[in-house]
Amino acid sequence: METEADIFFRKLPKVELHAHLNGSVSFETMEKLIARKPHLNIEHSMTAIRSGQRRTLDECFQVFKVIHQLIDSEEDILMVAKDVIHEFAADGVKYLELRSTPRNEPKTGLSKRIYIETVIEAIRQCKHEGADIDVRFLVAIDRRNGPEVAMETTKLAEDFMLSSDGVVVGLDLSGDPTVGNGKDLLLALQRARNCGLKLALHMSEIPSQKEESELLLDLPPDRIGHGTFLHPEVGGSDSLVDKVCKQNIPLELCLTSNVKGLTVPSYDEHHFQYWYKRRHPCVLCTDDKGVFCTDLSQEYQLAASTFGLSQEDVWALSQQAIQCSFAPEPVKQQLNQRWAKLRPEVLSLFPSCTVNQDFSRLHPKLPDSAPVQIGAISE
Ligand code: 6MZ
């Protein structure tokens, strides 16, 4: 049953800035994909990490490989992107930056260019259908694929930035952090920056990336994904923190993803606390709402319950995200006006509702033991 807090967090207008398309596929959409490709023998339990389960980051990347098998045609991408956008809208997200890695799939005739065009088409169709959400797109570089593919992806993103009517606004750097080196991708990232693409870069998602993070911070990026191991308390350094703070680079923080992916030991040890205390711009995001079985309302609720945020704090957090987005200034102004209009209505919904005290239901007990193997993913 929905509690007052559930309703409050859903009604809270929200901005989602870190959502990987293929990681955001819901149970319902996954069912449709599985039915389309029964010969793959993929079960839903292989594409999602349920409540109470955890996986190593490496195992999470195996989950994406399974999902990519299910989503390999223009038709799949159109359906998935439209469903994901409508789901974010239903969750109260008013502005969304989706990111995705364009793929060639020779079997179905999918090319990287068609991939991007299809995502843009999905965004256009959702708008036409009246979805109450402004959606932009970040083209993603998978670090695994090396400098040449990174440069090719940058050039594609550049083309679409100029021809997509403002839909393509930037570039994401993501992928398995244990593979490849950011140093090799600097040229592509610099080129992207120089041509006006905004940069949202995954950084220090694992402990061994100090040197790479120093280099990437000198670009500098416009936002940082995760930044889990930047600060000295977890083996980062003062120099990294100084660079982030001096340049006021916002962090995209994904609580459930980090806890389920085992890069953060528990919700209350999440680095949200470190940056939030310093009043550094932090944006709560879902990362992969399908894989990690969450939504943005739940992420706000988890942050409030874990770190004792009031309704006012939560409101400020969601509004601050507008400023961190890659939307053009007039769009940011419109969003701010929207927030101002909605504020009395949302904050007076349940004035006495404590939004920060629902621990037990939101913190399902996670096993301390080693995670189960991916081949044996179970309930
Ligand atoms: C790094 C991640 C990620 O691009 O096919 N991705 N990269 N860290 C993470 N933390 C868990 N979660 C997702 O969406 C899936 C791809 O997004 C990146 C990976 O490259 C993954 O293959 P798209 O839409």
Side-chain angles (χ1 to χ4, degrees):
M1 209 192 63
E2 265 199 329
T3 64
E4 287 186 351
D6 293 336
I7 300 170
F8 169 80
F9 284 102
R10 193 161 31 78
K11 295 261 180 199
L12 178 77
K14 292 172 288 293
V15 166
E16 168 67 79
L17 300 182
H18 188 130
H20 299 273
L21 177 60
N22 287 287
S24 299
V25 183
S26 63
F27 181 89
E28 291 73 21
T29 308
M30 210 47 97
E31 294 283 278
K32 292 190 266 180
L33 291 162
I34 290 171
R36 276 184 186 182
K37 297 183 173 75
H39 58 282
L40 292 176
N41 282 325
I42 293 174
E43 288 170 28
H44 189 82
S45 57
M46 295 156 76
T47 64
I49 303 166
R50 303 268 168 89
S51 167
Q53 297 182 321
R54 306 173 87 173
R55 295 284 180 276
T56 62
L57 209 51
D58 182 46
E59 289 169 328
C60 294
F61 286 102
Q62 293 180 46
V63 172
F64 293 122
K65 282 191 192 147
V66 175
I67 295 173
H68 285 155
Q69 282 182 273
L70 281 169
I71 304 169
D72 68 350
S73 69
E74 190 178 330
E75 196 190 357
D76 295 337
I77 290 163
L78 186 69
M79 177 179 80
V80 162
K82 285 188 69 180
D83 283 3
V84 165
I85 292 168
H86 282 301
E87 287 155 6
F88 274 115
D91 188 35
V93 174
K94 305 295 179 204
Y95 176 90
L96 162 67
E97 282 172 19
L98 262 185
R99 55 184 76 189
S100 194
T101 325
R103 272 179 286 140
N104 288 321
E105 295 284 359
K107 260 199 317 218
T108 64
L110 185 69
S111 67
K112 292 185 180 183
R113 192 169 279 278
I114 295 176
Y115 189 107
I116 299 175
E117 279 167 1
T118 308
V119 176
I120 295 172
E121 174 60 17
I123 294 171
R124 197 195 61 76
Q125 286 190 19
C126 289
K127 192 171 174 188
H128 190 70
E129 289 162 10
D132 181 15
I133 185 167
D134 185 333
V135 187
R136 311 283 161 148
F137 186 45
L138 310 182
V139 182
I141 292 176
D142 185 338
R143 49 184 296 138
R144 162 187 302 278
N145 297 328
E148 275 153 39
V149 174
M151 188 57 89
E152 179 202 0
T153 309
T154 296
K155 287 179 184 162
L156 265 176
E158 225 175 299
D159 282 358
F160 281 100
M161 181 186 68
L162 298 172
S163 64
S164 64
D165 227 356
V167 172
V168 172
V169 288
L171 206 65
D172 153 81
L173 171 64
S174 55
D176 186 343
T178 62
V179 181
N181 193 326
K183 186 172 73 186
D184 304 328
L185 311 175
L186 283 178
L187 264 184
L189 297 172
Q190 262 151 3
R191 176 181 171 130
R193 228 192 121 70
N194 293 341
C195 79
L197 285 160
K198 299 282 188 187
L199 296 183
L201 309 183
H202 282 60
M203 209 181 281
S204 283
E205 199 177 355
I206 52 171
S208 59
Q209 291 183 299
K210 249 185 187 168
E211 238 173 77
E212 176 184 294
S213 297
E214 288 279 0
L215 284 176
L216 293 177
L217 282 172
D218 288 338
L219 279 162
D222 298 282
R223 289 198 310 256
I224 294 169
H226 303 296
T228 315
F229 294 93
L230 286 170
H231 62 283
E233 289 167 24
V234 285
S237 69
D238 287 328
S239 135
L240 288 170
V241 171
D242 276 357
K243 280 187 185 176
V244 175
C245 292
K246 282 205 181 102
Q247 302 180 98
N248 203 30
I249 310 173
L251 277 108
E252 304 155 354
L253 300 177
C254 313
L255 273 65
T256 298
S257 161
N258 296 156
V259 171
K260 286 193 172 180
L262 290 169
T263 51
V264 167
S266 63
Y267 284 100
D268 48 2
E269 289 167 87
H270 195 276
H271 49 294
F272 172 87
Q273 174 104 309
Y274 178 91
W275 296 97
Y276 187 74
K277 270 204 307 217
R278 283 162 181 74
R279 300 183 179 276
H280 189 80
C282 296
V283 185
L284 292 175
C285 302
T286 53
D287 207 6
D288 300 287
K289 73 177 180 59
V291 170
F292 296 113
C293 302
T294 187
D295 58 32
L296 194 53
S297 297
Q298 184 168 323
E299 293 303 299
Y300 271 82
Q301 199 166 353
L302 279 162
S305 68
T306 309
F307 303 107
L309 309 183
S310 66
Q311 291 198 18
E312 286 285 348
D313 297 333
V314 165
W315 185 273
L317 201 56
S318 96
Q319 184 153 12
Q320 183 193 47
I322 298 172
Q323 218 36 51
C324 304
S325 77
F326 297 157
E329 274 313 312
V331 173
K332 287 185 184 172
Q333 276 172 25
Q334 283 162 19
L335 289 167
N336 273 316
Q337 281 162 11
R338 208 144 173 221
W339 258 242
K341 203 161 156 225
L342 286 166
R343 187 185 154 92
E345 186 193 313
V346 175
L347 291 186
S348 64
L349 263 179
F350 308 110
S352 57
C353 156
T354 321
V355 295
N356 57 20
Q357 281 189 350
D358 205 354
F359 286 98
S360 55
R361 192 172 55 88
L362 289 167
H363 290 258
K365 213 174 152 19
L366 293 165
D368 299 327
S369 55
V372 278
Q373 291 306 302
I374 202 85
I377 295 179
S378 60
E379 286 297 301

